[in-house]
Amino acid sequence: MTEALDEYGKYGDGVPSVYETNTHPLDEHKMSLRLKKAIRNLEGACDQLCATLAPPLHTIVNRAQDYYWSCLRVAAQNKIADLLDNTTGGMNLESLAHESGIEPSKLRILMRTLAARHCFQEVKDTGFHGTVYDWMKVNGDRRAVMSSSMPSMNSVMGTLSIIEGYPWEKISTVCDVGCGNGSFVWSLLQKFPQIHVTLFDLHETLEAAKQAAGCLAQELQSHLHFQPGDFFKDSLPKSVDIYYLRNIIHNWPDKDVLTILASIKNVMGPQSRILIHDYTMHSFQNQSPHHSLDQAPWPMLPDFGNGSMRLHYQDLTMLFMYNSKERTLEEVKNLSQNAGLKLEQIRDLGETTVLEFGPA
């Protein structure tokens, strides 16, 4: 680090800010061998430090989900940098989408990802569906692979932190909406055996969950109720304490999310709560001081930049697989309000967030 700073001192102006849009000192000067070696050391050291401190699966998932190169290719092919270079103060999303010919919601995902890697700077916020699930219904082997991968993803994403990060000791009944193979429920009951859980999912998915339930002690298995159903068509159990949705709403476009939330609202009791456990995109516009996400300290990017890169990769994955997206806090709040719900609390779990909603 010291060697790199010393080399920049030779150019007179020091190290420019990552937000600087003027000519970079090294655009006019040849990078010295000393600086080149210093940067190589820093890049290698930072990457190795992260790989050393993070669990191996964390590192592997980050590598596997790296869509950065494809985003950069799309930006280059559509001359995004040229379009922005012809403006002063940037360009709002709608104008940039119009000029580039890219659909706005897809362009937003692409630009967020590239901004997190410092290719651009975000200065302001301004169909078919269900095909993957329909395909998996008739491709049981693929469905099994997806289901079996979820426990490992839970470990990487830290989603089971919710078991330590919520007052489950006060809870008697839970409905795991879209429970998958039930991995969350097994961990929950082992820690809080007083809870009775309804596992709600498609029939073919619940069959796998029933088999996996064998990992529980017999007395805990008696706390399980398996209810096959489709949350677009079938009613959920009434007046449950907690309706838990983990990695659910990011799979669906807005109109379907509204249907899911309204369906749950219709069966909630006065004390029932919905926990939406998912990734939440940062938005720096119109955030209430009481309902906002953690932000990184200056001079880091407010959304932690590369430290939250998996969030952006997930955003792209949702687009590619489901024609959906990860949502900002404001987007989730707006959908919930339209379903007759109000946001009561945010729990930041480091990578994912848990948004708690009650009846409005």
Side-chain angles (χ1 to χ4, degrees), residues 63-82:
R63 301 292 191 262
Q65 289 187 327
D66 194 345
Y67 299 121
Y68 167 63
W69 63 271
S70 57
C71 292
L72 197 58
R73 180 179 181 181
V74 172
Q77 289 176 334
N78 290 275
K79 303 185 184 303
I80 298 297
D82 293 335

Side-chain angles (χ1 to χ4, degrees), residues 7-54:
E7 287 300 300
Y8 267 96
K10 297 177 181 179
Y11 304 125
D13 296 325
V15 181
S17 166
V18 71
Y19 304 109
E20 181 61 63
T21 57
N22 293 326
T23 302
H24 191 278
L26 296 183
D27 288 339
E28 298 179 348
H29 300 277
K30 182 179 179 181
M31 184 189 300
S32 69
L33 179 59
R34 187 172 182 234
L35 178 58
K36 189 174 184 65
K37 288 185 175 181
I39 292 174
R40 180 184 63 183
N41 289 343
L42 287 170
E43 288 179 334
C46 290
D47 187 72
Q48 184 167 331
L49 179 61
C50 292
T52 300
L53 294 176

Side-chain angles (χ1 to χ4, degrees), residues 22-191:
N22 293 326
T23 302
H24 191 278
L26 296 183
D27 288 339
E28 298 179 348
H29 300 277
K30 182 179 179 181
M31 184 189 300
S32 69
L33 179 59
R34 187 172 182 234
L35 178 58
K36 189 174 184 65
K37 288 185 175 181
I39 292 174
R40 180 184 63 183
N41 289 343
L42 287 170
E43 288 179 334
C46 290
D47 187 72
Q48 184 167 331
L49 179 61
C50 292
T52 300
L53 294 176
L57 193 55
H58 175 106
T59 303
I60 292 299
V61 170
N62 278 355
R63 301 292 191 262
Q65 289 187 327
D66 194 345
Y67 299 121
Y68 167 63
W69 63 271
S70 57
C71 292
L72 197 58
R73 180 179 181 181
V74 172
Q77 289 176 334
N78 290 275
K79 303 185 184 303
I80 298 297
D82 293 335
L83 293 172
L84 293 175
D85 193 44
N86 293 329
T87 68
T88 56
M91 183 183 295
N92 65 45
L93 181 69
E94 288 72 21
S95 298
L96 187 59
H98 175 75
E99 294 294 328
S100 65
I102 302 176
E103 198 275 323
S105 64
K106 295 177 173 61
L107 180 61
R108 179 190 293 274
I109 294 172
L110 179 141
M111 294 301 290
R112 279 176 177 165
T113 302
L114 293 176
R117 298 292 287 267
H118 307 291
C119 294
F120 299 102
Q121 181 184 358
E122 184 175 4
V123 293
K124 63 179 69 174
D125 281 330
T126 355
F128 56 89
H129 73 81
T131 55
V132 171
Y133 291 105
D134 292 338
W135 174 75
M136 285 197 295
K137 286 180 182 178
V138 295
N139 287 271
D141 56 335
R142 297 294 185 178
R143 183 176 65 248
V145 169
M146 181 175 182
S147 179
S148 64
S149 71
M150 293 313 295
S152 295
M153 287 300 295
N154 293 338
S155 175
V156 173
M157 296 162 60
T159 52
L160 293 181
S161 298
I162 183 59
I163 294 176
E164 305 294 338
Y166 191 81
W168 297 104
E169 66 276 4
K170 302 177 182 179
I171 302 302
S172 298
T173 56
V174 172
C175 178
D176 190 352
V177 182
C179 63
N181 65 3
S183 58
F184 162 74
V185 174
W186 320 146
S187 299
L188 179 67
L189 288 182
Q190 288 169 352
K191 181 76 173 180

Side-chain angles (χ1 to χ4, degrees), residues 166 242 268 270-275 290-291 329 333 336 341-347 354-360:
Y166 191 81
I242 297 293
M268 292 175 70
Q271 305 304 316
S272 298
R273 294 296 181 267
I274 298 175
L275 300 184
H290 303 294
H291 286 154
L329 179 59
K333 285 174 61 178
S336 66
L341 302 166
K342 63 178 179 180
L343 178 63
E344 296 187 345
Q345 193 165 0
I346 298 173
R347 288 177 168 82
V354 177
L355 308 180
E356 182 172 354
F357 294 89

